[in-house]
Amino acid sequence: MSGSRVGSKTRTALNHIQTSFAEKYPEVETSLIDLGEYDVQFSDGRNYLEYDGDTGIVARAIMDADAVVIGTPIFQASIPGTLKNIFDLLPESAFRDKVVGIVVTAGSSKHYLVAEHHLKPILGYMKAQIVQSYVFIEESDFYRKEIVNDDVLFRIERLVEDTVLLTKTYTKLREEKEAEYGF
Amino acid sequence: MEQYRIDRSKGLEFGIYTLGDHLANPYTGQRISAAQRIHEIIELAKLAEQAGVDFFSVGESHQEYFATQAHAVVLAAIAQATKTIKIGSSSTIISTSDPVRVYENFATIDLISNGRAEIVAGRASRVGLFELLGYDLHDYEELFEEKFDLLLQINREEVVNWSGKFRAPLRDAKVLPRPLHGSLPIWRAVGGTPASAIKAGYAGVPMIMAHLGGPAAYFKRTIDAYREAAKMNGFDPATLPVGTTGFFYAAETTQQALKEYYPHINEGMKLTNGQGFSKQLWAQGGDTRHIMNVGSPQQIIEKMLYQHELFGHQRYIAQMDFGGVPFDKLAKNIEIIATEILPAIRKYTAPKQEAE
């Protein structure tokens, strides 16, 4: 999910991520939600099932996923309102039993810890299994809507691998645990 | 308590409630017709009465997979089909209804049932009905408070003078018919958090709390806050009944009860709420300290007595039919309630001098 309506860098990064999933794990089904392409309304407190139109489509897609890679630019040293609104639309335990990876694009390296301080606490609260290492991409890593820094490309590959590994591992652990309950 | 038709000499009241959900049985994938579902609810009320259950209530929920949107109509049918069991709503969404209309309906049900009707008024946990019924969600809080106040006023006064924001004013208005004994027990439905309970306490009205899951001790705080608020506003908490509600399912063993009921709750929650019930949380439901009354009859008795000791409440209402539980299982549960659970609960919760 590309969490902004503004700019192209986050979308560019997520395109790479989707390609990487397709190449390495053809069995994994992915879809890319670019919030710039959807008309998502502001949360008004209703259950996510009660939203229709684009809002309902986006909310359901996230709720149905086993894993989510969240791509976000950093605006004003924080996550964009479009992304925060997605969290507001979902139930408090929306990411329970889901793995969540993070990709951050920013204009400056000084924004490196914004994901730690703003995004991870939200994901933690919403019960996500967070892929601890995220990919941080700066302005200088892009050239004409392409990522030109090999270090970033390698890190993207590792994020994809970690996301799949954690999802498989967590699913297996959970199934083993749930089998013990006998219901 | 007499005002609310609670006879404390009999100990903790036991009730059954349904939200009228209309879901497939997850074991068969089959969904009965809406007509059959409504008839089964009426039959369930009759069985509950035969079993000596004190109270039966029907809720309204205006969304897919529910069949008792017109819950007052269903309650009228139950009023006619039964003779002694107290009946009510669980809850009536007063925010999106006209209190005059609600009162007319329930006073009529009270007359049909010879004085057995009660109203539990709630704020709606789901908000789709605001759009359906032509209200603005922005007024969520105000709608409830204003309309609930009006409902209480209509209950108190035969001639009502009233004006507010969300309804035309009433001038020397008589809301008729009047209930059999002049007034109806009216409860405030309260979710998990203390905020709403405190409002109920301030208003000096009885409250019924919805308990989905978690340790019973957690809910004690809310009940304490309710009684404290009532006291601060000049009401005697000893005159205000407290009710609790929650999932109920009995089987031979606790493990079997957890196993049998889980798919109903999990699949039902997925469809009506968008997220299933975590197995990890469900598994804890078998613990005596957990709020859910799911387990063997003996385990349920222990849980209920433990909760009664904690809360000192006057009524417990069981939800046993969520998620397409087949009727024969419901009937079996009622049999267990009648033969094992009710006698034990009454024996241990009735005041000592009465019991001996």
Side-chain angles (χ1 to χ4, degrees), chain B residues 16-89:
Chain B
I16 290 172
Y17 85 99
T18 177
L19 293 178
D21 55 82
H22 182 210
L23 292 149
N25 175 349
Y27 290 98
T28 61
Q30 300 295 312
R31 186 164 84 143
I32 58 176
S33 68
Q36 191 184 340
R37 175 71 172 123
I38 289 169
H39 282 296
E40 287 188 358
I41 288 170
I42 297 165
E43 285 306 308
L44 191 66
K46 285 159 73 177
L47 281 186
E49 174 169 275
Q50 285 160 23
V53 166
D54 299 290
F55 179 74
F56 190 91
S57 62
V58 181
E60 62 171 313
S61 194
H62 301 257
Q63 54 175 319
E64 213 183 345
Y65 305 114
F66 285 82
T68 59
Q69 284 78 358
H71 67 311
V73 179
V74 178
L75 283 166
I78 291 172
Q80 180 69 5
T82 55
K83 287 198 165 55
T84 54
I85 192 168
K86 294 189 269 192
I87 53 182
S89 52

Side-chain angles (χ1 to χ4, degrees), chain A residues 46 48 50 93 96 181 183, chain B residues 126-128 255 274-275 279:
Chain A
R46 67 184 67 193
Y48 81 90
E50 294 179 52
S93 56
R96 187 180 72 206
Y181 299 134
F183 55 77
Chain B
R126 294 288 293 274
V127 300
Q255 188 58 26
Q275 248 185 324
K279 277 195 178 183

Side-chain angles (χ1 to χ4, degrees), chain B residues 264-275:
Chain B
H264 294 285
I265 300 295
N266 187 43
E267 297 303 320
M269 295 277 275
K270 272 189 210 166
L271 288 173
T272 58
N273 217 32
Q275 248 185 324

Side-chain angles (χ1 to χ4, degrees), chain B residues 187-230:
Chain B
W187 304 63
R188 178 172 176 140
V190 169
T193 60
S196 182
I198 288 169
K199 290 190 186 96
Y202 275 126
V205 292
M207 76 159 177
I208 289 188
M209 289 174 75
H211 292 163
L212 199 56
Y218 172 81
F219 300 101
K220 179 176 166 49
R221 282 181 254 163
T222 303
I223 294 174
D224 288 348
Y226 163 73
R227 292 194 176 122
E228 190 60 30

Side-chain angles (χ1 to χ4, degrees), chain A residues 17-160:
Chain A
I17 285 182
Q18 195 175 29
T19 307
S20 180
F21 270 116
E23 283 170 358
K24 279 179 189 280
Y25 305 99
E27 75 279 12
V28 172
E29 191 189 323
T30 63
S31 57
L32 205 160
I33 298 170
D34 183 346
L35 293 183
E37 292 171 358
Y38 291 86
D39 190 14
V40 177
Q41 71 184 84
F42 277 120
S43 162
D44 62 12
R46 67 184 67 193
N47 182 290
Y48 81 90
L49 291 178
E50 294 179 52
Y51 291 102
D52 44 26
D54 281 0
T55 315
I57 292 170
V58 170
R60 283 181 178 82
I62 296 167
M63 293 299 287
D64 288 344
D66 300 312
V68 183
V69 175
I70 294 176
T72 176
I74 301 297
F75 295 152
Q76 320 288 35
S78 51
I79 61 169
T82 38
L83 181 57
K84 175 66 169 87
N85 186 44
I86 297 297
F87 298 137
D88 296 348
L89 289 167
L90 303 176
E92 165 241 330
S93 56
F95 294 109
R96 187 180 72 206
D97 301 334
K98 287 188 197 356
V99 170
V100 177
I102 301 169
V103 182
V104 181
T105 59
S108 150
S109 64
K110 292 184 178 64
H111 289 315
Y112 183 72
L113 289 174
V114 171
E116 294 286 349
H117 294 306
H118 282 202
L119 193 49
K120 279 191 179 177
I122 299 170
L123 294 171
Y125 178 76
M126 295 176 79
K127 321 280 182 284
Q129 301 290 329
I130 302 171
V131 181
Q132 284 304 326
S133 297
Y134 51 90
V135 178
F136 183 84
I137 319 175
E138 282 182 63
E139 188 86 53
S140 54
D141 300 324
F142 291 92
Y143 177 70
R144 298 176 74 170
K145 298 194 178 180
E146 279 302 318
I147 295 172
V148 290
N149 183 342
D150 288 342
D151 183 40
V152 170
L153 294 172
F154 286 154
R155 279 191 278 135
I156 281 177
E157 279 186 38
R158 296 205 295 274
L159 180 77
V160 167

Side-chain angles (χ1 to χ4, degrees), chain B residues 57-348:
Chain B
S57 62
V58 181
E60 62 171 313
S61 194
H62 301 257
Q63 54 175 319
E64 213 183 345
Y65 305 114
F66 285 82
T68 59
Q69 284 78 358
H71 67 311
V73 179
V74 178
L75 283 166
I78 291 172
Q80 180 69 5
T82 55
K83 287 198 165 55
T84 54
I85 192 168
K86 294 189 269 192
I87 53 182
S89 52
S90 60
S91 59
T92 296
I93 309 306
I94 199 71
S95 321
T96 50
S97 309
D98 176 11
V100 172
R101 253 327 205 171
V102 167
Y103 204 80
E104 289 171 345
N105 282 340
F106 280 82
T108 305
I109 296 170
D110 196 61
L111 296 180
I112 295 172
S113 66
N114 290 313
R116 293 184 281 130
E118 304 183 14
I119 300 174
V120 174
R123 302 203 288 187
S125 61
R126 294 288 293 274
V127 300
L129 81 170
F130 281 74
E131 204 173 300
L132 179 70
L133 301 175
Y135 289 90
D136 187 343
L137 186 57
H138 288 108
D139 301 322
Y140 181 81
E141 176 112 26
E142 262 311 291
L143 269 171
F144 177 82
E145 298 300 339
E146 178 177 304
K147 292 191 174 201
F148 187 59
D149 281 349
L150 175 56
L151 184 69
L152 293 175
Q153 192 180 335
I154 294 170
N155 198 32
R156 272 194 316 268
E157 300 167 5
E158 296 234 12
V159 178
V160 181
N161 282 288
W162 178 91
S163 71
K165 260 171 78 180
F166 299 106
R167 183 200 195 285
L170 296 168
R171 289 197 189 90
D172 295 328
K174 280 188 175 175
V175 179
L176 300 169
R178 301 306 294 177
L180 195 64
H181 302 293
S183 71
L184 295 171
I186 297 181
W187 304 63
R188 178 172 176 140
V190 169
T193 60
S196 182
I198 288 169
K199 290 190 186 96
Y202 275 126
V205 292
M207 76 159 177
I208 289 188
M209 289 174 75
H211 292 163
L212 199 56
Y218 172 81
F219 300 101
K220 179 176 166 49
R221 282 181 254 163
T222 303
I223 294 174
D224 288 348
Y226 163 73
R227 292 194 176 122
E228 190 60 30
K231 208 152 73 181
M232 278 170 64
N233 218 23
F235 297 100
D236 178 6
T239 64
L240 296 173
V242 168
T244 66
T245 70
F247 290 137
F248 178 101
Y249 194 89
E252 206 167 311
T253 65
T254 297
Q255 188 58 26
Q256 192 191 333
L258 287 170
K259 185 175 176 171
E260 279 183 22
Y261 203 24
Y262 180 74
H264 294 285
I265 300 295
N266 187 43
E267 297 303 320
M269 295 277 275
K270 272 189 210 166
L271 288 173
T272 58
N273 217 32
Q275 248 185 324
F277 205 102
S278 148
K279 277 195 178 183
Q280 198 176 31
L281 294 178
W282 186 257
Q284 286 185 328
D287 194 290
T288 311
R289 297 164 299 170
H290 197 279
I291 195 77
M292 264 181 356
N293 290 324
V294 175
S296 66
Q298 193 51 42
Q299 179 71 329
I300 289 176
I301 291 165
E302 278 180 34
K303 279 163 173 267
M304 286 189 63
L305 293 178
Y306 169 68
Q307 288 163 22
H308 188 255
E309 204 171 287
L310 273 181
F311 304 152
H313 55 317
Q314 283 68 37
R315 178 184 283 175
Y316 165 72
I317 316 177
Q319 186 183 20
M320 58 170 69
D321 69 339
F322 185 79
V325 180
F327 194 75
D328 61 330
K329 292 280 183 194
L330 298 177
K332 178 73 193 157
N333 261 277
I334 289 194
E335 188 192 319
I336 294 172
I337 290 167
T339 55
E340 301 188 56
I341 295 174
L342 280 182
I345 297 302
R346 285 181 180 151
K347 180 177 168 194
Y348 290 109

